[in-house]
Amino acid sequence: MATESNNPVKEAKKEEGEATAIRPTASTFGTVKFSLLRWWMRDVIGTVNQSQVIETRREDCLLSERYLFMTAMSAGIAVLGLLLSSPAVVIGAMLLSPLMGPIMGLGFALAIGDYQWLKQSARSLAWGSLMGIGLTALLVYMSPIQTITPEIAARTQPNLFDLFVALFSALAGAYAMIRGREGTIVGVAIATALMPPLAVVGFGLATWNWTVFSGALLLYVTNLITIALTAWGMARLYGFKTSLSARNTIFQNIAVTAVFIGLAVPLGFSLQQIAFQTNAQRIVRAEIEEKFDANSRVDLGSIDFGAKPIKVSASVWTYVLKPEAEVEAERALTRELGEPVELTLTQFQGGSSGSAAELAQLSAARANEEAAEQARAEDLGKRLALVAGVPEDDVLIDRTRRKAMVRAEQLEGATLAAYKALEQRISATEPEWEIELLPPAGRLPANIEFGEDGPTPDGARALSVIEWASARVDIPIVLVGNQADAEAAAAILATSGVDVNVRLTSGPVRAEWGGAGQ
């Protein structure tokens, strides 16, 4: 008779019991994972009516009369709100904008691999965007107000935070569409603000302001792509059926990741620049205050970070004037910011108490300075309009960047050299402003004379006119003439960034407009 310890049946049961006791611990993670997946597939994805969601999204992507009308109305309201700097009016434009429909449609169509739907969404979005830009540009062009307001400026420097705003808003919007909570879309439309940046693109186009145009366009494209790709991700997460192969799915995932990274890099640099400017403002104020006693009051006027060196203007109300403060503060700011700084510090002498009356006088002084700058800008606009032969409304004045631009009419008997001389004459009276007088594409200098040592004085003047005219008219230059002189002239112009081509013939060198200017 076998003992209990040698009983094979009992030994097998004992080993099985020990294995059973160990197995749940070893597979806890797998069990939890399986339970979560089962819950997600059955209780979440299983409750989504995918066909109904897709049908609703398809309707939102149609290029219909209602879609075009609402887009036009939203664009009109947006540009008026931006010009008036009215946040309430701008929010109203956000609520009307129907652009969210085709953008979400792009994401859902990409997720399920329906390229007919993808093309329909892209077509509706393209027509809506172009109509919005065109209408806002027309309204701005016709408007007597073409000032860059705070509402416009706020949409010209997108950064990484804007991408995250679009990301989280799109997550909420896509979830609301999938789960049938359409009311949430109102908040998403306000958060992502599709139409206002599109209206600012139209403003930049109408005023030929590349900084405004490019910055607003980057913000619009950031919102657009982020919303579309987030909708794609949510649709894939909720198991929307796709006709893509496994290889195409992997390729699609890699492409989406690359797009997000491609957007994040420039926006990250922009955020870094904003952080630098914010910190620089704090440093400027601190350095100026350090040069005076505690009873002094500093009024930080403006900081032009785009200028080289950085231009800073400030005013201070102090009991004791310190003539050396400007130089010392400028030297300290250059050291602290790591970039050259040009400081203009205006000092006003008053009592030591820092009373409200003194502060009021300082504010009045600043107001007088602002009024003087405004009058100077208006006078500059009048003079430019006079020399260009156009109404004053055709002169574009950007006081923030101290830039003025006007497109001149064809003046009888005026050569390109004459237009250049007019621009130089006005620029000499306003050395702090960047003046651009855009001439008609008139006849270029007939001959560019060369001597043994290079261009003659007349030839050098002709090259200077050609260089200036090319920069203003933005049309390539064609040099026609003998090889030696033509190539020498082309080299001189190329060093100044002129787009120049050479056509070899015999005889002296002359210049012609290329491309559209011929």
Side-chain angles (χ1 to χ4, degrees):
M1 184 172 123
T3 64
E4 181 178 345
S5 59
N6 294 327
N7 191 326
V9 176
K10 289 187 176 182
E11 289 291 335
K13 288 183 177 180
K14 182 179 179 182
E15 292 176 2
E16 182 179 355
E18 291 175 352
T20 304
I22 295 173
R23 190 178 298 117
T25 304
S27 61
T28 299
F29 176 75
T31 303
V32 172
K33 179 181 177 182
F34 175 78
S35 300
L36 287 174
L37 287 175
R38 184 175 61 181
W39 166 78
W40 183 260
M41 297 294 293
R42 184 184 62 189
D43 297 337
V44 178
I45 294 179
T47 61
V48 175
N49 189 339
Q50 294 189 5
S51 59
Q52 182 179 353
V53 173
I54 291 174
E55 182 180 354
T56 304
R57 299 283 70 78
R58 285 183 189 275
E59 292 177 0
D60 291 342
C61 299
L62 295 177
L63 187 62
S64 62
E65 177 186 354
R66 176 189 174 279
Y67 169 78
L68 293 175
F69 177 77
M70 295 300 289
T71 300
M73 296 303 100
S74 176
I77 294 173
V79 74
L80 292 175
L82 293 169
L83 292 174
L84 296 172
S85 195
S86 172
V89 177
V90 174
I91 291 174
M94 299 177 193
L95 296 175
L96 286 180
S97 176
L99 295 174
M100 185 68 72
I103 294 176
M104 285 288 188
L106 286 175
F108 280 91
L110 191 64
I112 67 175
D114 189 336
Y115 291 103
Q116 289 299 323
W117 185 12
L118 188 70
K119 289 192 293 184
Q120 173 64 54
S121 300
R123 183 164 56 248
S124 298
L125 181 61
W127 277 108
S129 301
L130 290 174
M131 187 176 66
I133 294 173
L135 179 60
T136 53
L138 179 62
L139 290 174
V140 171
Y141 182 78
M142 296 170 57
S143 169
I145 303 174
Q146 295 184 347
T147 306
I148 299 177
T149 64
E151 285 291 324
I152 293 175
R155 292 168 174 85
T156 59
Q157 199 172 12
N159 57 64
L160 194 59
F161 287 163
D162 292 299
L163 186 145
F164 283 116
V165 169
L167 174 63
F168 293 131
S169 300
L171 286 171
Y175 173 82
M177 289 179 173
I178 292 172
R179 305 302 298 180
R181 306 289 192 273
E182 300 292 340
T184 308
I185 301 301
V186 173
V188 175
I190 295 176
T192 51
L194 291 166
M195 186 53 74
L198 199 64
V200 177
V201 172
F203 178 93
L205 181 64
T207 58
W208 290 101
N209 190 320
W210 170 249
T211 301
V212 172
F213 178 88
S214 58
L217 184 61
L218 178 59
L219 176 58
Y220 177 67
V221 171
T222 297
N223 288 343
L224 185 158
I225 294 179
T226 304
I227 293 170
L229 295 186
T230 304
W232 165 86
M234 289 292 285
R236 296 294 298 273
L237 182 65
Y238 273 85
F240 279 70
K241 296 180 177 61
T242 177
S243 58
L244 298 175
S245 64
R247 180 178 179 182
N248 288 339
T249 300
I250 293 174
F251 175 78
Q252 194 181 76
N253 294 341
I254 294 173
V256 169
T257 304
V259 169
F260 265 121
I261 294 174
L263 282 174
V265 169
L267 294 174
F269 281 122
S270 178
L271 179 61
Q272 186 180 27
Q273 182 65 20
I274 292 174
F276 167 77
Q277 293 179 4
T278 303
N279 189 47
Q281 291 177 343
R282 179 186 58 80
I283 292 174
V284 168
R285 179 177 291 277
E287 287 293 341
I288 296 175
E289 288 177 344
E290 186 179 334
K291 307 304 176 187
F292 299 90
D293 58 45
N295 292 321
S296 301
R297 295 293 182 268
V298 175
D299 181 21
L300 195 58
S302 63
I303 305 179
D304 186 0
F305 290 99
K308 299 296 180 183
I310 297 173
K311 292 185 177 181
V312 179
S313 65
S315 303
V316 59
W317 188 274
T318 178
Y319 180 62
V320 180
L321 297 179
K322 297 184 177 182
E324 74 283 357
E326 180 174 300
V327 176
E328 292 177 358
E330 183 176 281
R331 190 180 300 119
L333 289 174
T334 299
R335 184 177 62 255
E336 289 289 333
L337 299 181
E339 293 188 28
V341 175
E342 181 182 317
L343 173 63
T344 302
L345 184 61
T346 305
Q347 300 183 40
F348 300 93
Q349 189 173 21
S352 60
S353 63
S355 64
E358 293 167 353
L359 295 178
Q361 291 181 32
L362 177 59
S363 299
R366 285 293 303 160
N368 290 335
E369 289 181 9
E370 287 289 331
E373 289 183 5
Q374 176 68 25
R376 193 169 181 178
E378 292 176 356
D379 178 66
L380 175 60
K382 292 177 181 178
R383 286 184 286 146
L384 279 174
L386 181 63
V387 300
V390 298
E392 290 182 29
D393 291 343
D394 289 353
V395 181
L396 301 181
I397 299 289
D398 187 346
R399 287 181 55 203
T400 303
R401 295 176 174 81
R402 293 183 176 271
K403 182 175 181 179
M405 182 174 65
V406 63
R407 187 174 299 277
E409 293 290 335
Q410 180 66 55
L411 304 177
E412 186 176 356
T415 62
L416 290 173
Y419 286 110
K420 181 186 177 188
L422 289 172
E423 180 186 281
Q424 289 178 333
R425 189 177 303 168
I426 294 181
S427 296
T429 64
E430 301 292 343
E432 297 179 354
W433 283 73
E434 180 184 351
I435 310 296
E436 288 190 6
L437 179 65
L438 308 182
R443 185 180 297 277
L444 291 165
N447 291 314
I448 307 172
E449 299 178 3
F450 275 79
E452 294 181 359
D453 299 327
T456 65
D458 288 340
R461 282 191 291 271
L463 288 172
S464 176
V465 171
I466 293 169
E467 175 191 335
W468 174 84
S470 176
R472 296 295 180 268
V473 180
D474 196 21
I475 297 177
I477 300 295
V478 177
L479 296 177
V480 183
N482 66 82
Q483 182 173 359
D485 293 348
E487 290 180 350
I492 294 172
L493 292 174
T495 57
S496 301
V498 178
D499 186 3
V500 59
N501 297 305
V502 175
R503 190 166 70 241
L504 299 179
T505 62
S506 58
V509 180
R510 67 180 188 277
E512 298 177 353
W513 292 112
Q518 288 185 322

